[in-house]
Amino acid sequence: MQGFNRTAVVTQFILVGFSGLEELQLLLFVIFLLLYLTILMANATIMTIICFSRTLHTPMYGFLFILSFSESCYTFVIIPQLLVHLLSATKTISFIACATQLFFFLGFACTNCFLIAVMGYDRYVAICHPLRYTLIMNKRLGLGLVSLSTVTGFFIALVATNLICGMHFCGPNRVNHYFCDMAPVIKLACTDTHVKELALFSLSILVIMVPFLLILISYGFIVNTILKIPSAEGKRKAFATCASHLTVVFVHYGCASIIYLRPKSKSASDKDQLVAVTYTVVTPLLNPLVYSLRNQEVKTALKRVLGMPVATK
């Protein structure tokens, strides 16, 4: 870090993500704008269907409603600023705005990780204990799990943001990303960050690996129960109820693991931006599409909300 004044304090950062694609800025703006509008419309559609369809007033779809709302907020933290910067010559963000964006990004991201794990537990109870499902997954437990996921997620985000903002930034202020994420910001710190990076890595394991392992354990019991179902049709229906959730699980935790659970690499920043597009844009779009296109109950409820005829056996 030689050549920089260690007594200086950085008051703003420059987000240089996608700056190497100057001739494509307008095209990227149009693409991200269309994707953002699609995300908002898709998640709003899912939430509307769940609200107006009594058949979807179950814990599973209650969790999906909260996840869709959280995903919408999650993208709101990132994409609007990205759209502004794609059309702007100056791509600066103040230190306080950067810290705020980091906090809410981490808060909603952590909350989503825990919510997806809660949905895995819901599937476990529904398939392994169907007769006791309504007794176990009552309204009180559902609200408690959602509240615990949210409070824990934002508490971890507060701890992580405090660790990062407590570092000393004195020299370079060019963040090699299109938003304020942990690793690109930490790279600009002037002081030794090894201890804090270890703490942040431990938090990443808590947020990503612990829920993922709980989901795997849940699905271990689920698969064992499904294999005991005598009819092939029963097995097919049981697997179908889990297919949507499993798709979201592997995409969500897979992308998060690539970014936050791998060894440090100085050459990985550009690739990180491509992966970041997946978990900040593609995943929030994937959730409503997967749950609507692969879920017969949602498709039937959508037809009813739109007043379309519904085929009955």
Side-chain angles (χ1 to χ4, degrees), residues 100-117:
T100 302
Q101 183 184 59
L102 180 63
F103 169 71
F104 282 104
F105 164 71
L106 293 176
F108 286 115
C110 294
T111 299
N112 292 344
C113 283
F114 295 135
L115 283 174
I116 293 173

Side-chain angles (χ1 to χ4, degrees), residues 202-218:
S202 300
L203 289 176
S204 298
I205 292 176
L206 173 64
V207 172
I208 299 172
M209 290 308 299
V210 172
F212 183 67
L213 290 175
L214 291 175
I215 291 172
L216 291 183
I217 293 172
S218 296

Side-chain angles (χ1 to χ4, degrees), residues 64-77:
L64 178 58
F65 180 94
I66 300 298
L67 180 64
S68 295
F69 176 77
S70 181
E71 291 281 19
S72 300
C73 295
Y74 172 78
T75 55
F76 178 75
V77 173

Side-chain angles (χ1 to χ4, degrees), residues 73-74 77-78 93 95-111 150-165 179-182 185:
C73 295
Y74 172 78
V77 173
I78 305 295
I93 181 172
F95 184 88
I96 294 176
C98 183
T100 302
Q101 183 184 59
L102 180 63
F103 169 71
F104 282 104
F105 164 71
L106 293 176
F108 286 115
C110 294
T111 299
T150 305
V151 172
T152 304
F154 276 90
F155 176 74
I156 291 174
L158 180 62
V159 173
T161 304
N162 186 59
L163 286 172
I164 295 171
C165 292
F179 69 96
C180 291
D181 201 358
M182 291 196 297
V185 174

Side-chain angles (χ1 to χ4, degrees), residues 4 15 18 25 37 47 59 73 162 174 202 240 248 260 265 284 293 303:
F4 294 101
L15 300 174
F18 299 128
Q25 298 286 295
L37 294 176
M47 290 188 286
C73 295
N162 186 59
R174 296 173 64 84
S202 300
V248 173
Y260 300 106
S265 173
L293 295 178
K303 289 180 181 179

